[in-house]
Amino acid sequence: MIRVAWAQIRHSPSRLLAVLLAVVLSAAMLAGTVVFQGTSTASMATVTAAPLQPVDVIIDPGDADVKSLKPSWAEDVLARARVNGKVKATAPYYAATVTAYGADARGTANVYSVARDPSLRWFGLESGNWPKSADQIVISQDTAGKLGVRVGGTVTLKSSDGTKHMVTVSGVNDVRFKPMTGTDYAIYADQSYFGDMTPGELFVKLNDPSDIDPVTQRLMAAAGADGVMAVTGAEMIRQASAMMAGGSTQLTVIMAVFAVIALLCAMMVISSTYRTLIAQRTRDIAMLRLIGARRANIRSLVLSEALITAVAGTLIGALIGMGGGYAAMTAIGQAFGGFAANPLLLAGTLLLTVAATVLTAWTTVRHATRIPPIQALDGAAQYEDGNDDMKENGRTHGGADEKLDALASGLESAMYRKDVKR
C-alpha cells in the first residue's frame, strides 16, 4: 500500500499541503524547544565550569555565614589537614559587586579575584598583563568596548558603601562569554584589591590529581570543626551547573507548553483536512471497493499516505526547528556552549509528531471504510453526463479515468502480492 499511497501523493500533492504544513509547524516547535533547552544548558555549564576547571579541591563555607568567619578560615583548615606536601598552589576566591564608570558608559559589575599562580587561572590574555596590584584590573573585550576603554585606560569602581576606587586596565582577557550574574560587566582583579575582606572560598591545586579523593576526605575532617566543608572541583561544577540549569527550566516549560499546543492544533488541522479529503475522494474509494478492495485495504491506503506525509513533514520541521532554535540562541548571545540537543529527547519528540499524525488520520479513516461500492455508480453517472457535455465542446476528459486506472492497478498489484505470499 505504500507504493499506491505514494502514487496518490505524487498525482495530487497539493491536497495534502495543509497536513504537511501542520506537521512541519509542530515538529519545528518541538525540535526548537529541545535545541533551546540543550543549548542553554550547555552554555550555562560552560559559564559555571570554566572558572572551576583547573581546581582540584574547594574549601567552602557551606551553610556558614562568611562574615562570621575570620579572614584566614580557609588557610586554617588547610593547615589542620596537614596536606601541604600534596598541594601545588592555593588561591582565595573573592567577589564584590560595584558600579563601574567608563569613558562611554556605566553599569553594575562583579569584581572577581584572579589567582596569582598560573595553574589556577582559567583564562588567558589577548593583550596587556596580569594585574599585580590593587589598582589594576583585567576585563573582556566586550566590556572594554562598552565602557569605552582599552589597555592603559582607567575605570572608576564605586562600592556599595560609596567608596570610589580608580583602577587601570592592565589587560584584556580571552573570555568569549558573559558570566550569567545579572550584572552588566565582569571585572577581574588581584586579591589585594579586596583588602581585608573574608574570602568566600579557597581553591586548591594538587601536585597529583590522583590524590583528590584522599585529600578531600582529610580536608572535610579538618573543616568539620569550623562548620565548613570541602568538596572536589568536579562535584562543585556539578552542583553549580544544576543550580544554573534550574534558571532556564521555567522558560523551557513555557516553550514546551506552546509546542504541545502547536501539536494539538496540528492534529485538529489534520483531522479536518482528512475528513475533507475523504469526502472529495468518495467516488475513488467507492470504485476501489467496487473492484474488490476491502476495508482493510482502504484503511492501509489512507494511513500510508498519512505516514509518508508525517515523515516528510517531520524531517523538514526538525531541520527548521533545530536551525531556528540555535539561530535564536546565537542572536541573543547565549550559544557560547555550542549547539547541543539531547538526541534521545529529540528523536522522541519527532516520533511523537509522526505518531500523532498517523493517529489523527486513523481516527478519520473509518469514514472512508464506510463508503459503499454503490456510490461509484452515482459518480459514474455524473461523470458520464459531464463527459458528454465536454465531448460536445470538442474536449476529452481522461484524467479521472487515468487516475482510477492507476489506483485500481496499484491496488490489484498489492492484493495479488498479498495472495501470492499466502
Side-chain angles (χ1 to χ4, degrees):
M1 278 299 165
I2 294 290
R3 294 179 62 184
V4 179
W6 176 241
Q8 283 284 287
I9 294 174
R10 290 181 60 187
H11 188 274
S12 303
S14 59
R15 69 186 182 190
L16 292 175
L17 182 60
V19 176
L20 182 66
L21 291 177
V23 175
V24 168
L25 176 61
S26 58
M29 285 291 295
L30 290 171
T33 301
V34 173
V35 170
F36 169 83
Q37 188 272 338
T39 303
S40 62
T41 300
S43 298
M44 291 180 180
T46 299
V47 173
T48 304
L52 301 176
Q53 284 293 349
V55 181
D56 292 326
V57 185
I58 301 172
I59 302 177
D60 186 89
D63 295 331
D65 185 5
V66 175
K67 295 181 179 179
S68 66
L69 301 174
K70 58 183 180 180
S72 62
W73 69 271
E75 294 288 350
D76 294 342
V77 171
L78 193 64
R80 286 199 302 269
R82 297 180 181 178
V83 293
N84 290 333
K86 298 180 181 294
V87 175
K88 179 179 180 180
T90 63
Y93 178 75
Y94 301 89
T97 302
V98 300
T99 302
Y101 296 83
D104 296 338
R106 71 173 183 177
T108 57
N110 275 355
V111 183
Y112 303 100
S113 58
V114 176
R116 290 175 178 174
D117 190 287
S119 64
L120 282 170
R121 293 172 183 163
W122 61 275
F123 58 80
L125 296 180
E126 287 186 354
S127 59
N129 302 297
W130 294 99
K132 297 180 180 179
S133 60
D135 60 352
Q136 292 182 336
I137 62 171
V138 167
I139 58 178
S140 67
Q141 187 65 53
D142 179 66
T143 298
K146 290 180 179 179
L147 291 177
V149 296
R150 54 185 178 180
V151 175
T154 60
V155 176
T156 300
L157 304 180
K158 182 180 179 181
S159 60
S160 58
D161 62 1
T163 303
K164 292 184 178 180
H165 191 183
M166 183 174 291
V167 295
T168 301
V169 178
S170 64
V172 174
N173 64 30
D174 58 2
V175 178
R176 298 301 181 191
F177 58 81
K178 176 184 175 182
M180 298 180 182
T181 59
T183 58
D184 299 317
Y185 313 117
I187 297 173
Y188 305 89
D190 183 75
Q191 64 188 54
S192 60
Y193 168 86
F194 301 91
D196 58 356
M197 182 186 298
T198 302
E201 294 169 326
L202 181 70
F203 294 161
V204 180
K205 183 72 173 180
L206 303 180
N207 291 313
D208 186 356
S210 63
D211 292 332
I212 291 178
D213 290 336
V215 169
T216 302
Q217 292 176 3
R218 294 181 65 175
L219 287 172
M220 288 178 64
D226 295 334
V228 297
M229 58 186 295
V231 296
T232 64
E235 175 62 19
M236 183 62 76
I237 290 175
R238 187 194 66 78
Q239 294 178 8
S241 297
M243 185 181 300
M244 291 288 286
S248 66
T249 300
Q250 293 182 348
L251 185 57
T252 301
V253 170
I254 292 174
M255 292 186 64
V257 169
F258 278 105
V260 171
I261 292 175
L263 181 61
L264 294 176
C265 291
M267 293 176 67
M268 295 174 62
V269 172
I270 292 169
S271 177
S272 176
T273 302
Y274 266 104
R275 289 178 183 275
T276 303
L277 289 176
I278 290 173
Q280 294 174 348
R281 297 167 62 187
T282 298
R283 180 171 178 264
D284 294 349
I285 295 173
M287 184 64 71
L288 291 175
R289 294 293 309 279
L290 190 63
I291 63 176
R294 303 171 183 173
R295 290 187 175 184
N297 298 128
I298 303 300
R299 185 182 301 110
S300 298
L301 176 62
V302 177
L303 293 181
S304 296
E305 289 183 1
L307 178 61
I308 293 173
T309 307
V311 171
T314 299
L315 292 177
I316 297 173
L319 293 176
I320 295 174
M322 290 188 293
Y326 184 68
M329 293 297 291
T330 302
I332 63 177
Q334 298 297 325
F336 36 78
F339 178 89
N342 187 321
L344 294 179
L345 184 59
L346 182 61
T349 57
L350 300 184
L351 288 176
L352 176 63
T353 305
V354 174
T357 303
V358 176
L359 177 64
T360 305
W362 180 81
T363 59
T364 58
V365 75
R366 56 186 178 181
H367 298 286
T369 60
R370 293 175 180 174
I371 296 175
I374 193 65
Q375 287 195 237
L377 301 180
D378 295 338
Q382 295 175 5
Y383 168 70
E384 290 297 333
D385 293 340
N387 198 30
D388 290 341
D389 294 338
M390 294 178 71
K391 286 182 179 180
E392 291 177 2
N393 295 326
R395 294 179 296 175
T396 61
H397 187 72
D401 283 337
E402 293 175 1
K403 179 179 176 183
L404 289 176
D405 289 343
L407 273 173
S409 177
L411 181 62
E412 289 173 356
S413 298
M415 294 175 66
Y416 174 74
R417 285 195 298 272
K418 187 175 181 181
D419 292 337
V420 170
K421 288 182 181 180
R422 290 182 178 176

